[in-house]
Amino acid sequence: MMRALVFTGPGVVELDDVADPVVGSDEVLLHVAAAGICGSELHGVKTPGFRVPPLIMGHELAGTTDAGDPVVVNPILSCGRCDLCLRGLRQICRERQIIGVHRSGGFAERVSVPATAVRPLPSALDWERAAIVEPAANGVHAWSLSGRPEGGTVGIIGAGAIGLVCLAVALAKGAARVEVADRAASRLEAAARLGAHATGPALTGEYDVVFDAVGTPETHRQAVERLRPGGTTVWLGLANPEAGFDASGLVRTEKRIIGSFAYTDEEFEEAVGLVADWELHWVRSYPLDEGAKIFTNLMEGGDSPIRALLRPN
């Protein structure tokens, strides 16, 4: 038996004793060292959809193999043979599955994962940084989709973990100016500490690129309106399915909207190198035993910490 944080029903996660994972012939047993609580999981428990209870979630995970090797897990599983996979676009494979969504994830002492999902980690990388690789890869992918506006002006809506990794990637890749909007003062403080040139409750300038890391009709609309003519907004947030923007205005100004989901294998590998130098004051670790309390607080609207990690071992 082992301990795990289990999604047991709408709005409920519980620490429980569960059976040890069964390891298939093409799988690896991972001893989980750290797993991040993602905003999509908070929403998925409060309003169940793709995640079906009972389920051990946790798709941002790292740990050690039975041999003691430090590894991080790329949670995107794909068929590997379709036209999209063969083009290097596994993240949008029509048969895509995700560890922690469609099968057990990292909110447990141990988890079985396909051997193809395991990526080696540099020995010097600590577990906090290892657990941030997955969200960091989302930031790398969004930057790529935006057209890589080196020397450009960037706006970011939402200073949660995804907004902050978009900020860090934009600064590392050479954006001339990055401004961040959020309603929480603590998150704006985190963005300023990471190097944002301006912060506030809403974007006020005109930008070459706007990253929407929230995903409501209001933020969609702001993301489009704050673009310069011909600019690009990349939508990463999934808070609400409604578009909420003026489509005719989009046509007249030749603005572009691009959806961003996950990352390519190459972008995941790039993220491993990027996180080594990041400031992670916005990340905090907790024992797995405190997981239900931390998860529930965040699910009910708590804004601290920005990214919580559960440490089973």
Side-chain angles (χ1 to χ4, degrees):
M1 300 292 287
M2 66 174 184
R3 293 176 305 153
L5 185 67
V6 185
F7 167 31
T8 55
V12 181
V13 290
E14 300 175 288
L15 187 69
D16 203 355
D17 291 322
V18 301
D20 282 307
V22 176
V23 184
S25 59
D26 58 348
E27 296 179 335
V28 172
L29 181 65
L30 183 74
H31 301 265
V32 180
I37 298 176
C38 178
S40 65
E41 291 165 329
L42 302 175
H43 179 74
V45 168
K46 198 168 187 177
T47 309
F50 294 110
R51 295 168 176 83
V52 179
L55 174 68
I56 301 171
M57 298 182 298
H59 60 270
E60 304 173 2
L61 65 153
T64 57
T65 65
D66 271 342
D69 298 321
V71 298
V72 65
V73 173
N74 181 335
I76 305 294
L77 308 178
S78 62
C79 73
R81 60 184 181 276
C82 70
D83 58 325
L84 295 169
C85 287
L86 294 176
R87 290 165 55 194
L89 301 173
R90 291 197 315 108
Q91 78 277 10
I92 51 174
C93 171
R94 298 173 186 87
E95 299 179 28
R96 174 190 69 210
Q97 292 195 337
I98 302 172
I99 293 170
V101 177
H102 302 98
R103 57 182 287 165
S104 293
F107 295 161
E109 294 179 297
R110 295 173 291 281
V111 61
S112 175
V113 300
T116 55
V118 171
R119 306 288 187 271
L121 282 173
S123 58
L125 204 68
D126 62 53
W127 292 120
E128 277 195 345
R129 296 180 188 281
I132 295 300
V133 167
E134 198 278 343
N138 280 272
V140 175
H141 185 58
W143 177 260
S144 298
L145 292 175
S146 74
R148 302 179 177 90
E150 182 177 346
T153 57
V154 174
I156 297 172
I157 304 174
I162 294 299
L164 292 183
V165 299
C166 286
L167 167 62
V169 170
L171 292 172
K173 296 293 187 177
R177 184 173 179 83
V178 186
E179 301 183 6
V180 179
D182 199 286
R183 292 175 177 172
S186 60
R187 294 189 172 196
L188 294 178
E189 290 170 6
R193 185 168 171 181
L194 286 176
H197 297 93
T199 63
L203 295 179
T204 58
E206 184 178 80
Y207 307 90
D208 298 303
V209 169
V210 175
F211 296 107
D212 180 359
V214 179
T216 65
E218 179 184 353
T219 61
H220 288 159
R221 181 171 57 254
Q222 184 182 167
V224 173
E225 290 176 350
R226 285 298 168 184
L227 283 177
R228 64 160 174 80
T232 300
T233 178
V234 181
W235 291 0
L236 301 91
L238 292 166
N240 189 299
E242 298 300 321
F245 67 95
D246 179 356
S248 61
L250 192 78
V251 173
R252 293 188 179 101
T253 54
E254 293 192 354
K255 297 176 181 179
R256 296 188 302 157
I257 299 173
I258 300 177
S260 179
F261 183 85
Y263 33 76
T264 66
D265 288 340
E266 292 77 15
E267 289 160 345
F268 191 90
E269 296 293 339
E270 183 178 351
V272 173
L274 280 178
V275 299
D277 299 322
W278 282 4
E279 163 65 60
L280 295 183
H281 67 277
W282 47 279
V283 179
R284 191 177 304 166
S285 294
Y286 300 88
L288 181 62
D289 289 352
E290 297 181 23
K293 179 180 69 175
I294 298 302
F295 194 104
T296 301
N297 175 63
L298 292 170
M299 182 176 60
E300 292 178 350
D303 60 9
S304 181
I306 294 174
R307 177 58 97 233
L309 306 181
L310 300 184
R311 301 290 300 271
N313 295 301

